[in-house]
Amino acid sequence: MIVPFAHVLLFAALLFVMGLGCALARRNLIMILIGVEIMLNAAAVALVGGSAHWRQVDGQVFVVFLMAMTSAEVAISLAMVVYLRRRRGTLEADKFDGMHG
Amino acid sequence: MLASALFYLLAAATVAATLLCITRTNPVHAVIYLVHAFFDLALIFYLLGAPLVAAWEMIIYAGAIMVLFLFIIMMLELAPGGKPLEVDRQRWIPVLLLSLVTLGCTVVLIIQDPSAAASGAAYHASPREFGTALFDRYALGVQVVSFQLLFAAVGAYYVGKGEPRRRGGPSS
Amino acid sequence: MNESLLFLIPLLPLTAAVLNMLFGMRLPRLVTETVAVSGVAAAFLLTLLFWGYADGEGTRATLGSWLAAAGVEVSFALHFDALAAAMTLMVTGVATLIHLYAVGYMHDEDDYARFFGLLNLFVFAMLTIVLADNLLLLFLGWEGVGLCSYGLIGFWYRQTENARAGTKAFLVTRVGDVFLAAALLWLFALTGTLEIAAINAQAAGLAPAVLTALTLLLLLGACGKSAQLPLMTWLADAMAGPTPVSALIHAATMVTAGVYLLCRLFPLVSLSPDGMAAIAVVGALTALYAATCALAQREIKRVLAYSTMSQVGYMFLAVGAGSVAGALFHLFTHAFFKAALFMAAGCVIHLAGGENNILRMGGLARRGPRELLWVFVAGALCLAGAPLTGGFFSKDAILLAAYTEGSPLFLALWGVALLTALLTAAYTFRLVYLVFAGTPRGAVDPHPLPWLMRWPLWPLVLCGLGGGLLNLPPLFGGGEWLTRRLGGLAGRAISATHDLEWALGALATGLVVLGWGLARWRYGRFRAGRDHRLGRWLLRGWGADALVEALLVRPFTAISRFCAIGCDRALVAATVDGIARQTSACGERLRLLTTGRVSTYLAAFLWGFLIMLGWFLLALVR
């Protein structure tokens, strides 16, 4: 491998935490979804690194599945974003607190 | 040697781009920076011996998903920009702390594993090898994922359909 | 005839009671009254019919097993021996007459079904006490008479004082019942059986200290029902009940149940000299106490109530002196004349228009019916112990028993009994003079009394006057029928020289005359004078009620208030409420977590993830 596996994992961890921070701290729904995307990509990095470390192609196959799933997920979430925007007129996540106790 | 240097460079670029992405007020700017990050990620994938994955990262992720994001953002005419970052201080300090702690723990866990430190010969997966694995060993997975894409398409259509317009008549 | 038919004696009044309680208000009034009277009258006739069964050892009859487990074997069994037969005859006979009287007396009462039902139930319970073969069945009847007494004293419960009087009676007698129950349990533990005959047979094998303790417990139990010191505060207030109730329960039956208990267990009780002395002391002191109180009472029924207390004290003295026959003799004569006196008092109250206070009566001899005067004076003569009346012979028998017992204690008690006899005569004739003699001080409504209120008195009066024939001593030519009939159950054989008997009889007669003279001197021409402190103190029964209140009731109320408010409300309820409130508060605080915002929930994910990471790190460190 070109770099130690640990370094790849560290990189993936960094990306993941950044995506997490974005999803947690931002109020705009779109930005939350973008945070999710970053996290998913971080996972993809880890998977590819693993595949390279153990010299098997299965990690990459899983990355493909990941991308397919992400597409599906994005499609529906963005459709819902449109729907919510149409219903409420806002995309601020804090405004959607109908489940509050 | 070159490959490892490239890797570190690209990694730094990705982190920087992601950092910029998550701190933008304008969603369009954020998406663009993210696309940049994906470009870097694709290159990293290629360096790690996954050319097909790299290609798909570009095509699907940056080319379809992010474009879809842009479509929606522009369709909804969000955040014309200029507004300050809509994150209040009360929110991002705890998140930052939490994230740093999480990162710290993860780093420690990763470092203490000795097997991860070793590096062997480089690995490169040819498309043939990839294709065999995908359609031979993971054929069922392929089918399931295609179902899932169908469901997603139907669902997206339904959610985005909107309410039927009422035609005239007395309002009840 | 089958001996199980003996069970009809208690069961017929019970059936009448149940019928009256269930259907009494729906049936015509005459039917209810007939059922009530016939229940008791049938029991009386059956007792006469089965009289022969009581000869010798008596007859035992068993209806069935009641308890049979864990070493306890108790059955519904009767023992119809001479003692029980005599007592049953008296109870049913007097009860029948009183039921007839009650039909007339309660003529205006609307709640008659409850009254007659309770009255019959009472007779059933009393007969259970009398006829029981084992102590548990006796205790059942014991509690039954207490319950019926409560129901009947508080019959007019809508006035709170009546209900309170009933409750007081019930509670005070209950205290005695606790001691009786303790004695019961101890006897069972000692002898392994509850049958009276078996216990009496095994009594000789018990240690003296145990016998004395048992006797004291039984004495206290008897004191409760018989209103002796220290459990006597309920009897005077029990006069709040209707007059037939007072006549039946507080003259003839329930108050004598204590005496009967001691007579039944006499073989056990007599083995303890200290116990016998205690019984006699209690009886004599109560007799004196009650006689002094009766001197100052202002209500006619209260005088008679204290008089009953005093006479029952005489019976206890007789038992303590060892003479069961003497106690029973006085029990019977007292039942006759006291019931007659109570019923006559009821007539007097009726004539005086509901007036109870003798200071506001007077002159009833001229204004009222003649026969009432005769009945009352006859009863009074018996009570005072005028020569040749039944009361004279029975009281003399007791005095003789006390005198011949031998020990100096009993000589002192004999003196107390003599003093009490003087006081008895005094208060009896005081009552007669205040009610009948002199000028009328109150309103008298000379209407004719219903025949049912007049005729039942005569058999009782005649039995009282002629009661001496029950146990006529040989001095007067009699054969002491009762003592012979009781046989071995009669207790100590009293033998005295004729001279001694003459002397004692003359002494008693002298006391009666002296008492009558005192009453006539003071009350013959009565002018209402000032009442003095001694009179008021005697009126309140030597302050007994106040003493009980201060010693027992107030601490008890304080303790219960502490427990209810201090403990229950402050501790328990506050703790439970406090826990509930804290839980609720926690819930309120936790509620703040459910903001409904996505970011909150994502943060929760992160926290969980962090905890997992922490766990792995800790695993590493180890």
Side-chain angles (χ1 to χ4, degrees):
Chain A
M1 242 174 89
I2 51 170
V3 283
F5 185 43
H7 294 192
V8 178
L9 285 179
L10 282 170
F11 171 56
L14 193 58
L15 275 184
F16 184 84
V17 167
M18 281 200 283
L20 190 58
C22 177
L24 252 60
R26 300 300 293 264
R27 284 196 298 214
N28 197 331
L29 268 181
I30 300 279
M31 289 314 292
I32 294 178
L33 287 171
I34 283 178
V36 173
E37 291 307 308
I38 300 171
M39 284 195 270
L40 284 165
N41 270 283
V45 167
L47 279 165
V48 169
S51 150
H53 178 69
W54 283 295
R55 311 180 71 78
Q56 286 171 348
V57 80
D58 301 72
Q60 298 175 21
V61 169
F62 201 76
V63 172
V64 168
F65 288 151
L66 186 91
M67 286 189 206
M69 183 221 76
T70 308
S71 330
E73 173 250 322
V74 162
I76 298 195
S77 13
L78 287 175
M80 269 206 274
V81 163
V82 170
Y83 178 78
L84 288 173
R85 167 62 178 237
R86 207 181 289 153
R87 285 288 293 238
R88 281 294 186 91
T90 176
L91 273 185
E92 218 173 303
D94 284 350
K95 292 288 190 303
F96 297 101
D97 61 351
M99 294 269 287
H100 71 88
Chain B
M1 241 302 291
L2 180 64
S4 54
L6 271 176
F7 174 84
Y8 289 120
L9 200 62
L10 285 166
T14 313
V15 169
T18 313
L19 201 59
L20 284 168
C21 161
I22 67 180
T23 52
R24 295 303 101 195
T25 51
N26 193 335
V28 177
H29 294 179
V31 168
I32 299 302
Y33 276 117
L34 196 60
V35 168
H36 176 95
F38 288 163
F39 281 5
D40 297 332
L41 268 183
L43 286 169
I44 289 177
F45 286 161
Y46 180 78
L47 280 175
L48 285 174
L52 224 49
V53 176
W56 273 322
E57 175 85 7
M58 295 301 300
I59 299 169
I60 298 175
Y61 242 108
I65 294 174
M66 287 301 119
V67 168
L68 186 57
F69 264 98
L70 274 174
F71 280 171
I72 300 298
I73 290 169
M74 286 179 179
M75 185 170 93
L76 297 179
E77 289 169 19
L78 289 172
K83 279 208 292 222
L85 197 62
E86 78 275 15
V87 176
D88 48 335
R89 190 155 299 201
Q90 210 181 23
R91 178 77 65 89
W92 61 262
I93 285 189
V95 171
L96 186 64
L97 279 171
L98 217 52
S99 309
L100 284 176
V101 169
T102 312
L103 183 62
C105 295
T106 318
V107 162
V108 168
L109 272 174
I110 292 170
I111 286 178
Q112 58 80 32
D113 191 9
S115 66
S119 62
Y123 176 71
H124 185 90
S126 67
R128 178 180 295 271
E129 196 182 336
F130 189 93
T132 316
L134 184 64
F135 292 106
D136 194 6
R137 292 210 297 274
Y138 293 99
L140 184 59
V142 171
Q143 300 305 320
V144 170
V145 166
S146 24
F147 289 161
Q148 191 193 12
L149 288 167
L150 179 64
F151 303 153
V154 169
Y157 166 72
Y158 180 74
V159 173
K161 192 167 61 154
E163 282 156 10
R165 224 171 275 260
R166 298 227 177 115
R167 310 188 190 249
S171 58
S172 49
Chain C
M1 284 179 283
N2 192 6
E3 63 223 10
S4 290
L5 287 175
L6 279 171
F7 272 98
L8 282 176
I9 297 179
L11 287 180
L12 280 176
L14 176 65
T15 318
V18 170
L19 280 174
N20 271 339
M21 282 188 183
L22 288 177
F23 306 117
M25 295 308 277
R26 288 176 235 166
L27 296 169
R29 192 183 182 116
L30 193 60
V31 174
T32 310
E33 291 165 353
T34 314
V35 166
V37 174
S38 43
V40 190
F44 175 70
L45 290 172
L46 280 174
T47 315
L48 279 177
L49 202 62
F50 291 131
W51 188 255
Y53 276 54
D55 293 331
E57 276 295 316
T59 318
R60 270 203 182 73
T62 312
L63 195 60
S65 169
W66 184 8
L67 298 171
V72 178
E73 279 229 32
V74 173
S75 51
F76 292 113
L78 300 179
H79 187 197
F80 195 66
D81 63 352
L83 177 62
M87 192 76 179
T88 311
L89 197 65
M90 185 276 282
V91 168
T92 49
V94 172
T96 311
L97 291 168
I98 294 179
H99 272 74
L100 285 170
Y101 177 84
V103 170
Y105 189 85
M106 303 294 277
H107 183 73
D108 292 328
E109 177 62 44
D110 289 325
D111 233 340
Y112 54 88
R114 179 163 60 101
F115 182 77
F116 284 109
L118 276 174
L119 215 56
N120 274 348
L121 193 65
F122 174 85
V123 174
F124 159 71
M126 188 68 202
L127 289 175
T128 308
I129 294 180
V130 172
L131 290 168
D133 185 33
N134 54 61
L135 281 175
L136 201 61
L137 196 59
L138 189 144
F139 196 67
L140 173 73
W142 196 267
E143 298 293 310
V145 296
L147 173 70
C148 297
S149 162
Y150 160 75
L152 286 166
I153 294 172
F155 183 72
W156 290 312
Y157 58 88
R158 290 187 179 90
Q159 269 101 13
T160 324
E161 317 89 61
N162 300 342
R164 209 173 286 147
T167 312
K168 182 176 179 182
F170 190 66
L171 288 176
V172 176
T173 53
R174 208 87 183 85
V175 173
D177 296 349
V178 169
F179 293 111
L180 179 61
L184 224 109
L185 293 170
W186 196 0
L187 276 170
F188 179 69
L190 285 172
T191 59
T193 174
L194 280 172
E195 281 182 34
I196 297 179
I199 288 175
N200 282 336
Q202 293 186 34
L206 301 172
V210 170
L211 282 171
T212 309
L214 278 169
T215 309
L216 289 176
L217 282 174
L218 288 169
L219 171 63
L220 281 166
C223 283
K225 279 288 184 296
S226 298
Q228 303 293 290
L229 293 168
L231 296 167
M232 76 294 178
T233 49
W234 62 272
L235 188 57
D237 291 335
M239 296 300 119
T243 306
V245 169
S246 307
L248 181 61
I249 297 184
H250 306 125
T253 42
M254 182 164 119
V255 292
T256 57
V259 183
Y260 183 76
L261 174 73
L262 291 175
C263 291
R264 258 275 180 247
L265 289 170
F266 192 72
L268 186 144
V269 158
S270 59
L271 287 172
S272 155
D274 293 330
M276 295 287 270
I279 297 175
V281 166
V282 163
L285 287 180
T286 309
L288 184 62
Y289 161 80
T292 56
C293 291
L295 271 176
Q297 295 301 316
R298 293 189 192 143
E299 288 180 28
I300 183 172
K301 279 172 65 174
R302 279 180 86 97
V303 176
L304 294 176
Y306 277 108
S307 164
T308 305
M309 203 189 288
S310 177
Q311 298 303 307
V312 174
Y314 268 106
M315 296 176 214
F316 270 63
L317 175 61
V319 172
S323 167
V324 168
L328 232 62
F329 187 20
H330 197 56
L331 200 155
F332 291 153
T333 54
H334 172 262
F336 298 140
F337 64 69
K338 192 49 74 60
L341 274 173
F342 263 110
M343 297 205 279
C347 296
V348 166
I349 295 172
H350 216 267
L351 280 176
E355 176 63 66
N356 246 330
N357 194 337
I358 54 178
L359 297 179
R360 284 198 272 262
M361 297 179 192
L364 221 59
R366 260 170 276 128
R367 305 274 306 270
R370 272 284 128 169
E371 48 182 304
L372 183 60
L373 176 66
W374 293 131
V375 166
F376 206 94
V377 170
L381 286 174
C382 290
L383 175 55
L388 300 183
T389 57
F392 170 74
F393 288 114
S394 56
K395 200 177 291 187
D396 236 26
I398 295 177
L399 290 172
L400 191 64
Y403 190 80
T404 57
E405 212 276 351
S407 68
L409 171 69
F410 275 89
L411 214 54
L413 292 178
W414 173 75
V416 170
L418 281 181
L419 179 61
T420 311
L422 174 66
L423 293 174
T424 307
Y427 70 68
T428 310
F429 287 110
R430 165 183 181 261
L431 188 63
V432 172
Y433 278 120
L434 278 177
V435 172
F436 288 97
T439 50
R441 288 180 297 277
V444 172
D445 179 20
H447 59 268
L449 294 166
W451 68 275
L452 274 173
M453 278 176 73
R454 292 178 303 160
W455 286 106
L457 270 66
W458 283 106
L460 286 172
V461 164
L462 290 172
C463 285
L465 284 175
L469 295 171
L470 267 180
N471 203 23
L472 208 56
L475 182 66
F476 291 85
E480 288 198 326
W481 174 82
L482 185 62
T483 314
R484 273 187 300 114
R485 179 104 184 113
L486 289 177
L489 301 161
R492 181 167 65 92
I494 316 286
S495 63
T497 61
H498 279 211
D499 292 335
L500 181 64
E501 289 197 41
W502 272 118
L504 288 176
L507 184 58
T509 314
L511 287 173
V512 170
V513 172
L514 183 61
W516 171 66
L518 281 171
R520 189 197 159 106
W521 168 67
R522 174 79 179 91
Y523 294 105
R525 281 165 212 293
F526 180 69
R527 227 170 302 278
R530 309 182 309 267
D531 53 19
H532 36 134
R533 280 183 54 205
L534 179 66
R536 277 203 306 275
W537 184 61
L538 289 178
L539 179 66
R540 290 191 323 251
W542 295 24
D545 275 333
L547 193 67
V548 168
E549 168 89 24
L551 273 184
L552 294 173
V553 175
R554 232 176 263 145
F556 181 74
T557 322
I559 290 175
S560 47
R561 197 171 295 134
F562 169 70
C563 286
I565 299 177
C567 287
D568 191 42
R569 207 191 292 172
L571 276 176
V572 175
T575 309
V576 173
D577 279 344
I579 290 177
R581 237 177 294 126
Q582 285 310 311
T583 313
S584 195
C586 278
E588 276 294 318
R589 270 176 248 131
L590 281 174
R591 190 148 79 75
L592 295 171
L593 279 179
T594 60
T595 56
R597 298 204 288 253
V598 179
S599 53
T600 314
Y601 300 137
L602 286 175
F605 283 158
L606 183 55
W607 277 106
F609 180 57
L610 201 59
I611 290 171
M612 276 200 295
L613 281 181
W615 178 266
F616 286 125
L617 278 175
L618 277 173
L620 262 181
V621 166
R622 261 180 242 131

